[in-house]
Amino acid sequence: MKTLLLAVIALALVVIPLSPRYAAGASPKRAVAVSFAPVLNTPDFAGSFGGKIQLDPCRGVRPIEFIALPGTLFTVEGELEQNGVKVLRVTSSDYPYPSKTGLFVDARFVEMAGGDAKERRPHLPELAEIQKRLLAALGKPYVWGGNVKDGVPLVRTYYPQGDPLAGVDCSGLLYQATDGFTPRNTSTLIGYGEAVPVAGLSAEAIARKLKPLDLLVWNGHVMVVLDDESIIESRMGCGGKPSGVMITPRQELVRQIMKTRKPADSFPKGSAGAKSFVVRRWFPAGGR
C-alpha cells in the first residue's frame, strides 16, 4: 500500500508543472510569436534540438507539428520547465488539429500579449508571387512539419547543434508560399475550395482540366499545379526514393498517381481513401 501511495505521489509531481487550465471566469493568457516558432507535440525542446537525435520522419521521429508564422496568436494552457527550457503548452486557431500529447512552444519564441491581442490575418499573395515562392523552394529538402524553406533563425540561436528546419513538407510548401493563408494539413486540404470533377477520367483528361494552383491531394499528401505544364510537390522519399521539392510534368505525374489511386470527386471516408485522390480548386477565379 505504501509503495502504491508513493507511486501516485510521484505521478502527481510529474504532471503538476503542466498546470491545469485557468479557473472558470479567469481570462486565458495569450502569447504572440515574435518570429518563426516551431510548435512541437512534446515539451522536450532540448531533446528534440540538442543534436543527439535526427528528426527523421521515415523512422517516426516527428516532434514538429508546424512552424508558426510571426504574429501567430496562442492561447496559453499551461507552462513548465524541462531541461532548463521554459515551455508553454498552447492552442492556436492557426493549427486547429488535435494532438494527444498537446502542442508546445519554447517561451523564447513568443511574447506575452494582452487580452485585446488579435488573430493573425493572412493576406493571400497574387498568383505570380505564389508561383515565384513555390519555385524558390525547388530543391529544398523535405522536413516533417516544416514550412520555412530557409530555416528558423532562432533555432540556430538557441539550439546551434539542432536541426534548423530548413525545408518544407508537402502542405508546408503551399503554406509558406501563401503566407499561411491555406490550411496547414492535408486532412483539411482534401475538402478545401471546390471540387474539380475528375472521377472516371483518364490521366490525359485530368491533366487538361488542371489550372495553376489546383491541388491534387489525398489525406497524407498534396501536390500543387505550378503552371500550364508542371506540378510541384515536396516528397518524403523514404527507402531511397527521391526526396524534397521537385517538379514533374502534369500528365506524367497524374499517370504516376493513377497507378495506385483512382480519381474521385470527393474524398471518400474509410479505407476507400487509401486508394483515391481528389482535385481541389481554391484560388480565386481570374487569378487575382
Side-chain angles (χ1 to χ4, degrees), residues 49-99:
F49 293 117
K52 295 182 179 179
I53 62 171
Q54 182 180 0
L55 305 182
D56 184 352
C58 294
R59 296 189 297 114
V61 184
R62 304 173 177 180
I64 314 298
E65 289 289 325
F66 84 119
I67 299 172
L69 303 182
T72 297
L73 183 64
F74 296 104
T75 297
V76 180
E77 306 286 349
E79 61 182 62
L80 70 154
E81 184 173 311
Q82 184 159 338
N83 295 323
V85 177
K86 182 181 178 181
V87 178
L88 304 179
R89 183 170 184 166
V90 298
T91 57
S92 174
S93 62
D94 272 20
Y95 194 81
Y97 304 101
S99 170

Side-chain angles (χ1 to χ4, degrees), residues 10 92 94 101 175 198:
S92 174
D94 272 20
T101 55
Y175 193 79
V198 292

